Amino acid sequence: MVRLGVKGLAGLLLLGGCGGSERSAIAVSIEADGSANTTVRCVDTTSGTCHVAFAVAAPLRGEIRKGDSKRFAVGPGTPVCIEPDPVDLAKCDRRAIKQGTQRISRRRVVD
């Protein structure tokens, strides 16, 4: 029988949490001026790119590099999804664009 001291047990617990989880994070700033002009700025992302998709009749998609902005012809009320990887509109958490400026951020840990 192997006896573990406090240090040995702590080491095993630390090793048990390693290797299996993946973290992703994304933050965007969305500015809607009330007409069909919305600017999305990729503030931060673990992948280096913010992927955005708007749920309109013909889905509108875009990729924005971290630190850059892109303008889209959509207005307040349009559902939007943001992800650090390409967006699946059928599975994403849609949020309606609000008039003015809003910030959307999310962190996720996947085992």
XYZ file of all heavy atoms in Angstrom:
803
model
N 0.843 -1.179 0.000
C 0.000 0.000 0.000
C 0.889 1.245 0.000
O 1.856 1.322 0.728
C -0.889 -0.016 1.234
C -1.793 1.151 1.309
S -2.982 0.871 2.635
C -4.029 2.212 2.336
N 0.537 2.199 -0.855
C 1.304 3.432 -0.963
C 0.666 4.478 -0.068
O -0.542 4.681 -0.093
C 1.314 3.937 -2.435
C 2.040 5.250 -2.534
C 1.919 2.894 -3.340
N 1.505 5.148 0.700
C 1.008 6.210 1.578
C 1.411 7.552 0.984
O 2.554 7.751 0.618
C 1.591 6.057 2.972
C 1.130 4.756 3.618
C 1.606 4.665 5.005
N 0.795 5.596 5.788
C 0.952 5.822 7.071
N 1.880 5.185 7.725
N 0.183 6.650 7.713
N 0.456 8.422 0.859
C 0.723 9.755 0.330
C 0.640 10.768 1.456
O -0.306 10.752 2.236
C -0.298 10.140 -0.745
C -0.297 9.315 -2.021
C -1.454 9.735 -2.907
C 1.009 9.484 -2.758
N 1.604 11.645 1.490
C 1.531 12.746 2.439
C 0.645 13.840 1.860
O 0.073 13.707 0.783
N 0.556 14.927 2.571
C -0.258 16.060 2.127
C 0.245 16.589 0.785
O -0.533 16.859 -0.122
C -0.258 17.179 3.196
C -0.962 18.413 2.682
C -0.920 16.673 4.464
N 1.569 16.694 0.621
C 2.125 17.203 -0.636
C 1.825 16.250 -1.796
O 1.493 16.685 -2.896
C 3.624 17.415 -0.518
C 3.994 18.597 0.340
C 5.492 18.787 0.377
C 5.843 19.948 1.287
N 7.290 20.141 1.380
N 1.945 14.964 -1.570
C 1.664 13.992 -2.621
C 0.207 14.017 -3.045
O -0.116 13.955 -4.230
N -0.686 14.126 -2.088
C -2.113 14.186 -2.379
C -2.453 15.466 -3.137
O -3.200 15.441 -4.112
C -2.919 14.099 -1.076
C -4.435 14.082 -1.229
C -4.865 12.912 -2.102
C -5.098 14.004 0.128
N -1.880 16.579 -2.727
C -2.114 17.848 -3.416
C -1.617 17.771 -4.858
O -2.261 18.260 -5.782
C -1.430 18.995 -2.680
N -0.484 17.138 -5.075
C 0.053 16.972 -6.419
C -0.868 16.148 -7.299
O -1.089 16.481 -8.463
N -1.433 15.073 -6.764
C -2.363 14.257 -7.533
C -3.631 15.028 -7.882
O -4.155 14.914 -8.986
C -2.734 12.993 -6.757
C -1.688 11.892 -6.725
C -2.169 10.747 -5.847
C -1.379 11.399 -8.122
N -4.117 15.828 -6.964
C -5.303 16.629 -7.224
C -5.041 17.652 -8.318
O -5.882 17.885 -9.181
C -5.785 17.327 -5.946
C -6.374 16.414 -4.885
C -6.661 17.204 -3.614
C -7.628 15.738 -5.388
N -3.861 18.260 -8.313
C -3.515 19.226 -9.348
C -3.399 18.552 -10.702
O -3.862 19.065 -11.714
C -2.209 19.946 -9.010
C -2.299 20.989 -7.900
C -0.907 21.503 -7.565
C -3.208 22.122 -8.296
N -2.788 17.378 -10.763
C -2.642 16.659 -12.025
C -3.993 16.225 -12.573
O -4.198 16.201 -13.783
C -1.744 15.434 -11.849
C -0.251 15.720 -11.690
C 0.484 14.422 -11.401
C 0.303 16.374 -12.943
N -4.913 15.913 -11.711
C -6.241 15.483 -12.147
C -6.987 16.568 -12.893
O -7.834 16.290 -13.729
N -6.671 17.833 -12.665
C -7.354 18.925 -13.338
C -6.648 19.396 -14.580
O -7.092 20.315 -15.241
N -5.549 18.779 -14.966
C -4.767 19.243 -16.110
C -5.150 18.532 -17.397
O -5.554 17.387 -17.391
C -3.270 19.000 -15.865
S -2.604 19.994 -14.538
N -4.949 19.231 -18.488
C -4.984 18.612 -19.793
C -6.329 18.484 -20.463
O -6.396 18.468 -21.674
N -7.429 18.408 -19.756
C -8.694 18.128 -20.412
C -9.547 19.327 -20.730
O -10.468 19.228 -21.520
N -9.272 20.490 -20.175
C -10.173 21.611 -20.386
C -9.599 22.626 -21.368
O -8.396 22.778 -21.497
C -10.506 22.291 -19.059
O -9.358 22.848 -18.494
N -10.499 23.275 -22.049
C -10.135 24.295 -23.022
C -10.937 25.549 -22.693
O -12.117 25.477 -22.414
C -10.487 23.794 -24.426
C -10.184 24.760 -25.514
C -10.588 24.216 -26.873
O -10.518 22.995 -27.073
O -10.968 25.017 -27.713
N -10.272 26.678 -22.727
C -10.945 27.933 -22.400
C -11.133 28.757 -23.661
O -10.286 28.764 -24.537
C -10.113 28.747 -21.415
C -9.979 28.098 -20.081
C -9.051 28.894 -19.201
N -8.812 28.162 -17.993
C -9.016 28.656 -16.787
N -9.419 29.877 -16.648
N -8.799 27.916 -15.735
N -12.266 29.422 -23.731
C -12.474 30.369 -24.812
C -13.127 31.609 -24.219
O -13.885 31.527 -23.268
C -13.347 29.770 -25.921
O -14.662 29.560 -25.468
N -12.787 32.749 -24.788
C -13.352 34.006 -24.318
C -13.506 34.935 -25.503
O -12.743 34.875 -26.467
C -12.444 34.635 -23.269
N -14.499 35.784 -25.407
C -14.741 36.754 -26.466
C -15.404 37.976 -25.864
O -16.171 37.871 -24.904
C -15.607 36.151 -27.591
C -15.668 37.096 -28.789
C -16.982 35.776 -27.105
C -16.197 36.456 -30.040
N -15.076 39.142 -26.409
C -15.710 40.399 -26.003
C -15.808 41.290 -27.230
O -14.832 41.464 -27.952
C -14.899 41.087 -24.911
N -17.010 41.820 -27.467
C -17.221 42.743 -28.571
C -17.960 43.968 -28.074
O -18.645 43.929 -27.050
C -18.016 42.106 -29.737
C -17.285 40.919 -30.330
C -19.414 41.733 -29.315
N -17.807 45.045 -28.804
C -18.564 46.265 -28.564
C -19.408 46.495 -29.809
O -18.889 46.470 -30.936
C -17.611 47.443 -28.338
O -18.337 48.644 -28.208
N -20.715 46.675 -29.628
C -21.634 46.869 -30.746
C -22.244 48.259 -30.632
O -22.771 48.623 -29.581
C -22.749 45.801 -30.740
C -22.138 44.403 -30.841
C -23.749 46.057 -31.855
C -23.146 43.282 -30.709
N -22.162 49.022 -31.707
C -22.735 50.370 -31.720
C -23.754 50.464 -32.849
O -23.408 50.344 -34.029
C -21.645 51.417 -31.924
C -22.172 52.822 -31.777
C -21.071 53.862 -31.788
O -19.926 53.526 -31.425
O -21.365 54.988 -32.167
N -25.014 50.635 -32.465
C -26.106 50.763 -33.434
C -26.628 52.190 -33.373
O -26.996 52.678 -32.308
C -27.216 49.772 -33.109
N -26.660 52.852 -34.533
C -27.037 54.265 -34.553
C -28.521 54.515 -34.767
O -28.956 55.652 -34.911
C -26.209 55.025 -35.597
C -26.516 54.611 -37.018
O -27.447 53.803 -37.234
O -25.822 55.100 -37.927
N -29.330 53.456 -34.805
C -30.771 53.641 -34.953
C -31.251 53.400 -36.369
O -32.418 53.167 -36.604
N -30.370 53.490 -37.333
C -30.740 53.152 -38.707
C -30.168 51.763 -38.999
O -29.944 50.977 -38.096
C -30.176 54.194 -39.676
O -28.756 54.183 -39.642
N -29.902 51.480 -40.241
C -29.352 50.166 -40.591
C -27.831 50.222 -40.639
O -27.212 49.706 -41.554
C -29.932 49.701 -41.910
N -27.229 50.854 -39.650
C -25.767 50.919 -39.562
C -25.336 50.465 -38.178
O -25.596 51.141 -37.185
C -25.265 52.343 -39.794
C -25.428 52.772 -41.226
O -25.053 52.052 -42.134
N -26.008 53.949 -41.432
N -24.681 49.325 -38.126
C -24.195 48.789 -36.859
C -22.714 48.465 -37.013
O -22.316 47.792 -37.955
C -24.976 47.519 -36.471
O -26.351 47.874 -36.285
C -24.445 46.900 -35.201
N -21.918 48.964 -36.061
C -20.486 48.703 -36.067
C -20.160 47.729 -34.947
O -20.565 47.937 -33.806
C -19.687 50.003 -35.879
O -20.036 50.910 -36.927
C -18.194 49.748 -35.910
N -19.428 46.678 -35.287
C -18.998 45.681 -34.306
C -17.487 45.781 -34.184
O -16.776 45.705 -35.182
C -19.405 44.253 -34.716
C -18.929 43.242 -33.683
C -20.911 44.159 -34.913
N -17.005 45.964 -32.951
C -15.566 46.010 -32.691
C -15.177 44.785 -31.890
O -15.785 44.480 -30.860
C -15.185 47.277 -31.923
C -13.668 47.407 -31.720
C -13.289 48.786 -31.225
N -13.780 49.061 -29.899
C -13.115 48.800 -28.772
N -11.930 48.242 -28.824
N -13.639 49.090 -27.614
N -14.172 44.066 -32.346
C -13.665 42.882 -31.656
C -12.687 43.365 -30.586
O -11.561 43.739 -30.890
C -12.982 41.944 -32.646
S -12.357 40.435 -31.904
N -13.126 43.370 -29.343
C -12.317 43.874 -28.230
C -11.290 42.834 -27.798
O -10.113 43.135 -27.620
C -13.222 44.275 -27.043
C -12.388 44.724 -25.854
C -14.206 45.353 -27.465
N -11.738 41.586 -27.628
C -10.839 40.527 -27.159
C -11.392 39.174 -27.586
O -12.606 38.983 -27.628
C -10.719 40.583 -25.638
C -9.571 39.741 -25.108
O -8.673 39.379 -25.899
O -9.566 39.438 -23.907
N -10.493 38.252 -27.897
C -10.885 36.895 -28.248
C -9.684 35.966 -28.108
O -8.561 36.378 -28.394
C -11.463 36.815 -29.677
O -11.765 35.457 -29.989
C -10.516 37.371 -30.709
N -9.929 34.757 -27.644
C -8.842 33.797 -27.492
C -8.385 33.240 -28.834
O -7.257 32.770 -28.962
C -9.270 32.623 -26.585
O -10.508 32.089 -27.060
C -9.430 33.070 -25.146
N -9.240 33.301 -29.845
C -8.884 32.742 -31.148
C -8.197 33.747 -32.069
O -7.693 33.373 -33.117
C -10.135 32.208 -31.854
O -10.968 33.276 -32.258
N -8.209 35.029 -31.694
C -7.630 36.061 -32.547
C -8.644 36.687 -33.491
O -8.383 37.708 -34.105
N -9.820 36.068 -33.604
C -10.868 36.557 -34.491
C -12.222 36.458 -33.806
O -12.533 35.443 -33.188
C -10.915 35.726 -35.792
O -9.634 35.741 -36.396
C -11.925 36.272 -36.767
N -13.035 37.499 -33.938
C -14.429 37.456 -33.483
C -15.287 37.078 -34.685
O -15.177 37.702 -35.744
C -14.883 38.821 -32.966
S -14.080 39.360 -31.446
N -16.090 36.064 -34.523
C -17.023 35.651 -35.573
C -18.399 36.149 -35.172
O -18.830 35.938 -34.038
C -17.031 34.133 -35.723
C -15.726 33.595 -36.201
N -15.477 33.334 -37.528
C -14.589 33.294 -35.540
C -14.250 32.884 -37.667
N -13.678 32.852 -36.466
N -19.070 36.810 -36.084
C -20.383 37.387 -35.807
C -21.357 36.934 -36.884
O -20.980 36.767 -38.043
C -20.292 38.933 -35.730
C -19.800 39.515 -37.023
C -21.593 39.565 -35.327
N -22.591 36.671 -36.475
C -23.641 36.292 -37.418
C -24.934 36.962 -36.984
O -25.276 36.969 -35.799
C -23.809 34.777 -37.465
N -25.628 37.529 -37.954
C -26.910 38.183 -37.715
C -27.998 37.298 -38.293
O -27.919 36.868 -39.447
C -26.939 39.558 -38.380
C -25.886 40.486 -37.851
C -24.651 40.572 -38.480
C -26.112 41.253 -36.728
C -23.665 41.416 -37.997
C -25.130 42.089 -36.233
C -23.908 42.172 -36.867
N -29.025 37.019 -37.480
C -30.119 36.151 -37.901
C -31.152 36.982 -38.654
O -32.116 37.486 -38.078
C -30.733 35.459 -36.695
N -30.909 37.162 -39.937
C -31.840 37.857 -40.828
C -32.227 36.870 -41.929
O -31.732 35.745 -41.962
C -31.199 39.143 -41.412
C -31.009 40.188 -40.310
C -29.870 38.859 -42.075
N -33.128 37.277 -42.840
C -33.627 36.363 -43.879
C -32.496 35.613 -44.581
O -32.550 34.402 -44.742
C -34.467 37.141 -44.883
N -31.484 36.329 -45.011
C -30.280 35.702 -45.570
C -29.175 35.987 -44.559
O -28.673 37.108 -44.493
C -29.933 36.298 -46.924
N -28.834 35.007 -43.695
C -27.882 35.270 -42.604
C -26.643 36.038 -43.068
O -26.053 35.737 -44.093
C -27.513 33.875 -42.111
C -28.716 33.045 -42.444
C -29.214 33.600 -43.754
N -26.324 37.053 -42.300
C -25.182 37.917 -42.580
C -24.086 37.545 -41.598
O -24.309 37.527 -40.389
C -25.614 39.377 -42.399
C -24.602 40.467 -42.618
C -24.071 40.427 -44.039
C -25.241 41.818 -42.344
N -22.897 37.237 -42.106
C -21.793 36.788 -41.265
C -20.564 37.641 -41.489
O -20.395 38.232 -42.548
C -21.441 35.337 -41.581
C -22.562 34.372 -41.325
C -22.200 32.965 -41.791
N -23.309 32.060 -41.595
C -23.581 31.447 -40.451
N -22.813 31.616 -39.408
N -24.624 30.648 -40.350
N -19.698 37.676 -40.485
C -18.444 38.390 -40.636
C -17.388 37.888 -39.679
O -17.701 37.289 -38.646
N -16.141 38.111 -40.053
C -14.993 37.805 -39.201
C -14.266 39.120 -38.958
O -14.012 39.866 -39.898
C -14.043 36.832 -39.882
C -14.605 35.465 -40.102
C -13.615 34.542 -40.785
O -12.430 34.916 -40.960
O -14.022 33.439 -41.164
N -13.932 39.374 -37.691
C -13.258 40.619 -37.339
C -12.045 40.282 -36.496
O -12.170 39.610 -35.462
C -14.204 41.555 -36.548
C -15.530 41.724 -37.290
C -13.534 42.894 -36.302
C -16.642 42.255 -36.420
N -10.883 40.715 -36.935
C -9.661 40.458 -36.162
C -9.671 41.283 -34.878
O -10.231 42.380 -34.828
C -8.430 40.797 -36.990
C -8.224 39.813 -38.111
C -6.913 39.941 -38.824
N -6.199 41.173 -38.575
C -5.421 41.782 -39.439
N -5.261 41.293 -40.633
N -4.786 42.887 -39.124
N -9.040 40.742 -33.844
C -8.949 41.419 -32.549
C -8.400 42.830 -32.746
O -7.394 43.036 -33.403
C -8.030 40.622 -31.619
C -7.929 41.181 -30.232
C -7.071 40.271 -29.377
C -6.835 40.860 -28.010
N -6.018 39.967 -27.179
N -9.130 43.819 -32.197
C -8.741 45.221 -32.299
C -9.358 45.954 -33.476
O -9.307 47.174 -33.537
N -9.955 45.231 -34.426
C -10.550 45.848 -35.609
C -12.063 45.991 -35.460
O -12.677 45.384 -34.581
C -10.249 45.022 -36.854
C -8.794 45.092 -37.284
O -8.062 45.976 -36.772
O -8.379 44.255 -38.100
N -12.655 46.769 -36.370
C -14.100 46.985 -36.423
C -14.607 46.705 -37.820
O -13.856 46.781 -38.794
C -14.441 48.442 -36.071
O -14.040 48.765 -34.782
N -15.908 46.413 -37.893
C -16.546 46.199 -39.181
C -17.976 46.704 -39.098
O -18.638 46.536 -38.073
C -16.520 44.709 -39.536
C -16.939 44.395 -40.940
C -16.648 42.939 -41.263
C -16.920 42.652 -42.725
N -16.594 41.265 -43.060
N -18.449 47.328 -40.174
C -19.807 47.863 -40.226
C -20.714 46.885 -40.969
O -20.320 46.300 -41.974
C -19.813 49.214 -40.929
C -21.213 49.793 -41.039
C -21.157 51.218 -41.379
N -20.951 51.880 -40.084
C -20.889 53.172 -39.930
N -20.966 53.969 -40.953
N -20.726 53.699 -38.739
N -21.940 46.734 -40.437
C -22.934 45.847 -41.033
C -24.228 46.616 -41.247
O -24.565 47.498 -40.458
C -23.214 44.648 -40.110
C -22.019 43.765 -39.900
C -21.153 43.986 -38.841
C -21.753 42.708 -40.757
C -20.050 43.179 -38.631
C -20.658 41.898 -40.568
C -19.802 42.123 -39.507
N -24.964 46.271 -42.289
C -26.228 46.937 -42.610
C -27.387 46.254 -41.889
O -28.258 45.647 -42.500
C -26.443 46.929 -44.118
N -27.380 46.342 -40.568
C -28.459 45.836 -39.719
C -28.723 46.881 -38.642
O -27.860 47.700 -38.333
C -28.118 44.474 -39.059
C -27.962 43.390 -40.105
C -26.872 44.570 -38.208
N -29.917 46.865 -38.080
C -30.267 47.853 -37.076
C -30.667 47.245 -35.752
O -30.626 46.021 -35.575
N -31.073 48.108 -34.800
C -31.512 47.637 -33.493
C -32.638 46.607 -33.628
O -33.483 46.698 -34.513
C -32.010 48.909 -32.808
C -31.247 50.001 -33.468
C -31.117 49.566 -34.905
N -32.612 45.611 -32.746
C -33.605 44.547 -32.753
C -33.163 43.311 -33.512
O -33.737 42.235 -33.343
N -32.135 43.432 -34.342
C -31.646 42.283 -35.113
C -30.935 41.302 -34.182
O -30.057 41.699 -33.421
C -30.659 42.740 -36.209
O -31.291 43.714 -37.036
C -30.196 41.566 -37.049
N -31.288 40.019 -34.217
C -30.590 39.030 -33.389
C -29.157 38.824 -33.883
O -28.925 38.708 -35.091
C -31.414 37.753 -33.572
C -32.735 38.203 -34.102
C -32.445 39.429 -34.903
N -28.227 38.755 -32.951
C -26.814 38.576 -33.283
C -26.217 37.487 -32.403
O -26.617 37.301 -31.251
C -26.030 39.898 -33.119
C -26.047 40.379 -31.671
C -24.597 39.776 -33.602
N -25.262 36.756 -32.968
C -24.481 35.765 -32.223
C -23.012 36.095 -32.406
O -22.586 36.471 -33.498
C -24.718 34.361 -32.761
S -26.373 33.754 -32.479
N -22.245 35.960 -31.344
C -20.800 36.152 -31.415
C -20.118 34.927 -30.840
O -20.594 34.330 -29.883
C -20.346 37.419 -30.660
C -20.753 37.337 -29.183
C -20.898 38.664 -31.299
C -19.858 38.118 -28.271
N -19.030 34.546 -31.455
C -18.259 33.385 -31.007
C -16.794 33.607 -31.373
O -16.501 34.327 -32.325
C -18.745 32.103 -31.695
C -20.170 31.684 -31.379
C -20.338 31.134 -29.982
O -19.338 30.708 -29.370
O -21.477 31.112 -29.502
N -15.857 32.948 -30.656
C -14.458 33.008 -31.066
C -14.185 32.101 -32.261
O -13.145 32.183 -32.892
C -13.689 32.558 -29.827
C -14.667 31.802 -29.007
C -16.024 32.322 -29.351
N -15.132 31.225 -32.605
C -15.036 30.312 -33.737
C -16.249 30.536 -34.631
O -17.213 31.186 -34.218
C -15.004 28.863 -33.239
C -13.812 28.606 -32.333
O -12.683 28.898 -32.770
O -14.014 28.132 -31.200
N -16.277 30.001 -35.854
C -17.427 30.211 -36.734
C -18.759 29.903 -36.036
O -18.882 28.932 -35.298
C -17.160 29.261 -37.901
C -15.662 29.214 -37.962
C -15.213 29.237 -36.522
N -19.744 30.751 -36.283
C -21.030 30.707 -35.590
C -21.987 29.724 -36.259
O -22.135 29.720 -37.471
C -21.674 32.112 -35.573
C -23.061 32.067 -34.962
C -20.792 33.095 -34.831
N -22.673 28.927 -35.431
C -23.776 28.082 -35.877
C -25.046 28.746 -35.357
O -25.346 28.674 -34.161
C -23.620 26.667 -35.327
C -24.736 25.725 -35.762
O -25.757 26.197 -36.303
O -24.574 24.510 -35.562
N -25.779 29.420 -36.239
C -26.969 30.159 -35.814
C -28.034 29.273 -35.164
O -28.840 29.754 -34.380
C -27.583 30.917 -36.993
C -26.891 32.225 -37.342
C -27.393 32.760 -38.675
C -27.102 33.254 -36.246
N -28.035 27.982 -35.466
C -29.016 27.073 -34.877
C -28.707 26.750 -33.421
O -29.581 26.340 -32.675
C -29.089 25.786 -35.690
N -27.447 26.948 -32.999
C -27.046 26.556 -31.647
C -26.570 27.709 -30.770
O -26.275 27.502 -29.603
C -25.912 25.529 -31.728
C -26.309 24.244 -32.396
C -25.141 23.295 -32.451
C -25.497 22.008 -33.153
N -24.352 21.103 -33.265
N -26.479 28.899 -31.297
C -25.876 29.993 -30.538
C -26.878 30.694 -29.624
O -28.088 30.506 -29.749
C -25.251 31.012 -31.494
S -26.461 31.910 -32.469
N -26.346 31.497 -28.732
C -27.140 32.300 -27.797
C -27.371 33.666 -28.440
O -26.526 34.542 -28.363
C -26.380 32.433 -26.473
C -27.123 33.272 -25.463
O -28.361 33.383 -25.565
O -26.463 33.827 -24.569
N -28.524 33.829 -29.097
C -28.823 35.079 -29.805
C -29.188 36.196 -28.841
O -29.888 35.979 -27.868
C -29.977 34.881 -30.775
C -29.702 33.873 -31.843
C -30.906 33.699 -32.731
N -30.698 32.598 -33.660
C -31.484 32.341 -34.673
N -32.529 33.109 -34.888
N -31.230 31.333 -35.472
N -28.712 37.379 -29.175
C -29.069 38.577 -28.413
C -29.491 39.651 -29.394
O -28.888 39.799 -30.451
C -27.884 39.085 -27.615
C -27.425 38.100 -26.581
C -26.315 38.661 -25.782
N -25.789 37.630 -24.909
C -25.103 37.891 -23.831
N -24.837 39.120 -23.500
N -24.655 36.917 -23.081
N -30.518 40.401 -29.057
C -30.973 41.472 -29.934
C -30.064 42.683 -29.783
O -29.667 43.052 -28.677
C -32.409 41.853 -29.604
N -29.741 43.298 -30.914
C -28.937 44.513 -30.890
C -29.782 45.629 -30.293
O -30.962 45.783 -30.625
C -28.505 44.907 -32.319
C -27.582 43.838 -32.897
C -27.838 46.268 -32.330
C -27.260 44.063 -34.355
N -29.184 46.404 -29.415
C -29.856 47.544 -28.788
C -29.369 48.835 -29.427
O -28.253 48.910 -29.922
C -29.556 47.578 -27.294
C -30.062 46.379 -26.542
C -29.675 46.450 -25.089
C -30.100 45.188 -24.370
N -29.625 45.156 -22.992
N -30.224 49.852 -29.403
C -29.811 51.167 -29.881
C -28.714 51.699 -28.973
O -28.758 51.519 -27.763
C -30.998 52.127 -29.852
C -30.610 53.548 -30.154
C -31.291 54.077 -31.377
O -32.177 53.452 -31.914
N -30.867 55.228 -31.813
N -27.716 52.326 -29.542
C -26.599 52.858 -28.767
C -25.453 51.853 -28.745
O -25.270 51.083 -29.679
N -24.702 51.877 -27.654
C -23.536 51.008 -27.532
C -23.793 49.932 -26.487
O -24.288 50.223 -25.406
C -22.290 51.829 -27.137
O -22.079 52.838 -28.125
C -21.057 50.954 -27.045
N -23.462 48.708 -26.819
C -23.549 47.617 -25.852
C -22.298 46.770 -25.975
O -21.652 46.727 -27.025
C -24.809 46.775 -26.068
C -24.804 45.929 -27.318
C -26.154 45.270 -27.580
O -26.951 45.802 -28.323
N -26.394 44.129 -26.979
N -21.957 46.139 -24.884
C -20.784 45.261 -24.858
C -21.261 43.866 -24.505
O -22.042 43.689 -23.563
C -19.776 45.765 -23.831
C -18.499 44.968 -23.822
C -17.505 45.569 -22.852
N -16.414 44.666 -22.638
C -15.185 44.880 -23.067
N -14.897 45.991 -23.690
N -14.237 44.002 -22.838
N -20.804 42.910 -25.269
C -21.144 41.507 -25.014
C -19.831 40.760 -24.786
O -18.911 40.870 -25.583
C -21.889 40.882 -26.196
C -23.199 41.635 -26.462
C -22.164 39.405 -25.942
C -23.918 41.185 -27.728
N -19.770 40.033 -23.686
C -18.566 39.229 -23.422
C -18.996 37.909 -22.801
O -20.038 37.805 -22.172
C -17.590 39.959 -22.507
O -18.185 40.255 -21.281
N -18.140 36.917 -23.030
C -18.460 35.584 -22.520
C -17.171 34.800 -22.368
O -16.256 34.913 -23.166
C -19.396 34.884 -23.501
C -19.918 33.592 -22.983
C -20.917 32.950 -23.924
N -20.298 32.542 -25.177
C -20.519 33.111 -26.346
N -21.338 34.118 -26.443
N -19.938 32.674 -27.428
N -17.130 33.968 -21.346
C -16.017 33.036 -21.123
C -16.614 31.652 -20.991
O -17.665 31.483 -20.414
C -15.253 33.374 -19.858
C -14.556 34.705 -19.911
C -13.737 34.934 -18.647
N -13.281 36.288 -18.573
C -12.252 36.782 -19.222
N -11.572 36.015 -20.029
N -11.896 38.032 -19.098
N -15.891 30.678 -21.521
C -16.390 29.300 -21.493
C -15.225 28.352 -21.230
O -14.149 28.522 -21.781
C -17.025 28.977 -22.827
C -17.742 27.679 -22.886
C -18.319 27.384 -24.239
N -19.120 28.489 -24.735
C -19.608 28.568 -25.954
N -19.384 27.631 -26.814
N -20.330 29.598 -26.322
N -15.443 27.352 -20.394
C -14.462 26.296 -20.162
C -15.118 24.993 -20.579
O -16.197 24.662 -20.115
C -14.026 26.231 -18.679
C -13.064 25.074 -18.469
C -13.396 27.544 -18.246
N -14.457 24.270 -21.479
C -14.986 23.017 -21.987
C -14.034 21.908 -21.608
O -12.836 22.018 -21.835
C -15.150 23.083 -23.528
C -15.686 21.762 -24.060
C -16.042 24.246 -23.915
N -14.566 20.834 -21.041
C -13.724 19.682 -20.689
C -13.561 18.755 -21.852
O -14.357 18.586 -22.684
C -14.332 18.906 -19.510
C -14.188 19.693 -18.218
O -13.210 20.437 -18.086
O -15.061 19.552 -17.365
